[in-house]
């Protein structure tokens, strides 16, 4: 009978239905770690049971030991890697040093919560966790560089993120903001580089919200975040980042250009023109910005302003292909819009023909630079003006316009 009750007692230690049993399992896992040859499979099984139980899944001790398991595995692999004549697995070593943060991140968070009965914060594990983290944080940074070098971008992102979380764990109670120092700045930058290079756009956005203002190379980081939003077709999320970018880095045309593209797509032409005018104050002779300005008027069918802008560009750069082709299109579109009216008068037809003539020299000049892009439009103008020989030559020997 005594052995029977002993068996029942032993079984209760392993059953997942008792909170007491789960706390016992965590202590058992802690003790097993101290053995010469820890059975990591059994240790992880015991911790998993505790994580799944209502009474121990919010216990800091559960996650302290969970972190300790991975730390112990990391140290064992580290000794193999660094001991001459011993065979170790570098990738496994780096994976485990990053994995220890999963448990310790949660343990630290729970440890800092006030006790429900007293309202006081009693830090049971913070010092131990901080000691381990202080020692292992540099290795997490090395892990990120290792995975980045091997083009394993998800793993690199996790490693740099873990190193950042390690810095957060080292903060005193009551402090939440990371210091704006070189370590944090570089870790944040590399985390974002890894996530962006790996097309992990949700992670870029998450990391950007946390670290965009402390990361190194802030201009590049803001572009990563904006491009991640745009890759997800999230213009609502992209616009605040782009607006901030225009204020912080007015010399970088990416922010203006991206916002202008969004406004164009949304038909917000006046806002787009206002943005370009702001950019032109910084770079008044930038032909790309002037072309954008003309294109916005073109899309808004504000032909007079479009002509004015394209002519301004051609006065500065007579061989600007975009200005030549677009100006030719402006005159062509004006002519076609007149002829589209079935009640067009002879006087209006004459005006349309004059628009075709005005488009001709600009399209011919553009054709010399990009024949395949201009041929059909130029051919249509030749046809409308009755220039049959030029039209035929355009589609037979594809000869250059003289």
């Amino acid at each position: 009978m005594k052995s029977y009750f002993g068996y029942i007692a032993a079984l209760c230690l392993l059953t997942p239905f008792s909170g007491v049993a789960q706390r016992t399992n965590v202590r058992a896992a802690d003790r097993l770690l101290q053995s010469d040859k820890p059975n990591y499979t059994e240790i992880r099984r015991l911790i998993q049971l505790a994580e799944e139980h209502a009474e121990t899944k919010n216990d800091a001790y559960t996650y302290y030991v969970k972190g300790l398991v991975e730390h112990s595995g990391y140290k064992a692999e580290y000794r193999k890697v660094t001991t001459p004549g011993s065979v170790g697995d570098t990738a496994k070593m780096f994976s485990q040093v990053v994995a220890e943060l999963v448990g310790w991140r949660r343990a630290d968070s729970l440890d800092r919560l006030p006790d429900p009965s007293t309202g006081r914060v009693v830090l049971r594990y913070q010092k131990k966790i901080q000691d381990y983290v202080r020692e292992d944080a540099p290795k997490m940074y090395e892990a990120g560089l290792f995975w980045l070098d091997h083009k394993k971008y998800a793993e690199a992102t996790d490693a740099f993120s873990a190193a950042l979380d390690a810095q957060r764990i080292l903060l005193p109670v009551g402090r939440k903001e990371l210091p704006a120092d070189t370590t944090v700045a570089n870790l944040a930058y590399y985390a974002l580089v890894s996530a962006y290079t790996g097309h992990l756009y949700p992670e870029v956005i998450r990391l950007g919200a946390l670290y965009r203002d402390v990361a190194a190379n802030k201009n590049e980081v803001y572009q990563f975040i904006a491009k991640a939003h745009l890759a997800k077709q999230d213009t609502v999320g992209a616009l605040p980042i782009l607006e901030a970018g225009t204020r912080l880095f007015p010399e970088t045309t990416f922010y203006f250009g991206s916002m202008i593209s969004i406004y164009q797509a949304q038909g917000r032409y006046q806002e787009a023109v206002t943005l370009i005018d702001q950019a032109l104050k910084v770079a008044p002779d930038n032909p790309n910005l002037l072309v954008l300005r003309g294109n916005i008027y073109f899309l808004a069918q504000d032909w007079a302003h479009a002509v004015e802008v394209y002519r301004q560009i051609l006065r500065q750069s007579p061989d600007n292909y975009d200005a030549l082709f677009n100006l030719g299109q402006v005159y062509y579109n004006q002519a076609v819009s007149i002829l589209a009216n079935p009640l067009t008068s002879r006087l209006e037809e004459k005006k349309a023909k004059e628009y075709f003539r005005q488009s001709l020299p600009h399209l011919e000049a553009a054709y010399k630079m990009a024949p395949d892009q201009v041929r059909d439009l130029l051919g249509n103008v030749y046809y409308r003006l009755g220039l049959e020989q030029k039209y035929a030559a355009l589609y037979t020997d594809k000869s250059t316009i003289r």
Side-chain angles (χ1 to χ4, degrees):
M1 182 66 69
K2 184 175 180 181
S3 61
Y4 173 80
F5 283 114
Y7 171 77
I8 294 296
L11 186 63
C12 287
L13 292 178
L14 299 177
T15 178
F17 301 105
S18 164
V20 173
Q22 295 315 311
R23 281 187 287 275
T24 301
N25 283 341
V26 177
R27 286 193 290 273
D30 197 354
R31 286 195 299 273
L32 284 172
L33 277 175
Q34 314 308 317
S35 64
D36 293 336
K37 293 183 179 180
N39 183 341
Y40 287 106
T41 301
E42 176 61 13
I43 292 169
R44 289 190 176 97
R45 187 187 74 81
L46 293 171
I47 294 299
Q48 185 176 351
L49 288 173
E51 285 185 87
E52 293 170 352
H53 196 277
E55 292 184 39
T56 48
K57 69 180 182 180
N58 292 317
D59 188 337
Y61 182 48
T62 300
Y63 299 97
Y64 166 71
V65 176
K66 181 182 176 74
L68 200 58
V69 173
E70 302 306 327
H71 171 78
S72 175
Y74 150 66
K75 293 299 286 186
E77 205 61 42
Y78 175 77
R79 284 190 290 272
K80 293 179 188 176
V81 169
T82 57
T83 301
S86 180
V87 179
D89 186 335
T90 303
K92 182 179 179 182
M93 176 189 74
F94 282 134
S95 294
Q96 289 195 283
V97 76
V98 171
E100 71 183 57
L101 255 290
V102 176
W104 282 339
R105 186 188 296 121
R106 180 81 170 127
D108 179 72
S109 175
L110 291 168
D111 205 29
R112 293 176 188 239
L113 295 176
D115 186 285
S117 57
T118 65
R120 293 174 58 243
V121 174
V122 180
L123 298 171
R124 293 181 175 86
Y125 307 104
Q126 187 193 64
K127 187 178 184 309
K128 292 179 181 179
I129 291 172
Q130 286 184 338
D131 287 344
Y132 288 124
V133 165
R134 194 174 287 108
E135 178 187 353
D136 293 352
K139 216 66 183 175
M140 296 170 198
Y141 175 67
E142 286 184 41
L145 295 177
F146 172 83
W147 292 121
L148 196 56
D149 187 53
H150 285 76
K151 296 181 170 53
K152 299 285 188 178
Y153 299 114
E155 289 86 345
T157 303
D158 287 345
F160 290 124
S161 297
L164 283 163
D165 285 338
Q167 297 300 314
R168 205 175 290 282
I169 286 172
L170 293 173
L171 291 174
V173 174
R175 273 194 64 183
K176 294 183 179 179
E177 298 298 322
L178 288 174
D181 59 23
T182 305
T183 299
V184 171
N186 288 334
L187 287 172
Y189 173 71
Y190 279 118
L192 281 152
V193 165
S194 302
Y196 181 76
T197 307
H199 307 298
L200 308 171
Y201 299 126
E203 190 66 2
V204 173
I205 293 167
R206 185 189 74 82
L207 290 167
L210 292 171
Y211 303 118
R212 66 182 179 230
D213 291 321
V214 297
N217 304 312
K218 190 185 292 188
N219 188 349
E220 192 176 349
V221 162
Y222 268 70
Q223 291 184 56
F224 289 157
I225 301 164
K227 288 175 181 177
H229 280 290
L230 294 173
K232 290 171 61 62
Q233 300 183 331
D234 175 18
T235 55
V236 173
L239 277 171
I241 303 298
L242 293 169
E243 288 167 358
T246 61
R247 292 191 300 272
L248 293 168
F249 316 105
E251 74 287 351
T252 303
T253 57
F254 163 78
Y255 302 105
F256 287 107
S258 298
M259 289 180 70
I260 289 162
S261 297
I262 292 170
Y263 288 154
Q264 282 180 321
Q266 295 175 347
R268 297 160 64 181
Y269 300 120
Q270 189 51 55
E271 289 171 88
V273 169
T274 301
L275 266 179
I276 291 173
D277 288 343
Q278 291 175 19
L280 284 168
K281 289 177 183 177
V282 179
D285 297 322
N286 187 320
N288 294 326
L289 288 172
L290 288 170
V291 168
L292 275 174
R293 198 176 198 275
N295 291 351
I296 290 166
Y297 287 129
F298 183 101
L299 290 170
Q301 297 186 20
D302 185 345
W303 307 124
H305 280 106
V307 168
E308 179 186 334
V309 174
Y310 291 137
R311 287 195 176 279
Q312 179 186 351
I313 297 165
L314 292 173
R315 283 194 294 272
Q316 296 174 6
S317 307
D319 296 329
N320 187 294
Y321 168 78
D322 292 314
L324 287 167
F325 182 59
N326 293 349
L327 184 55
Q329 283 192 94
V330 168
Y331 289 129
Y332 176 86
N333 287 357
Q334 287 178 282
V336 168
S337 63
I338 291 172
L339 297 176
N341 184 354
L343 302 177
T344 299
S345 66
R346 284 183 176 273
L347 185 62
E348 287 171 323
E349 286 179 1
K350 186 177 179 180
K351 186 177 180 181
K353 197 164 188 176
E354 181 57 30
Y355 279 135
F356 283 130
R357 287 196 186 95
Q358 286 180 289
S359 74
L360 192 56
H362 306 297
L363 292 177
E364 286 182 335
Y367 177 83
K368 292 176 183 178
M369 289 180 261
D372 291 339
Q373 295 178 37
V374 184
R375 180 175 289 108
D376 288 339
L377 185 59
L378 179 58
N380 209 329
V381 173
Y382 283 153
Y383 178 80
R384 298 274 192 171
L385 293 174
L387 301 172
E388 288 137 2
Q389 287 185 344
K390 285 194 171 186
Y391 179 86
L394 201 64
Y395 290 98
T396 53
D397 59 4
K398 309 269 192 313
S399 59
T400 304
I401 300 297
R402 290 184 174 84

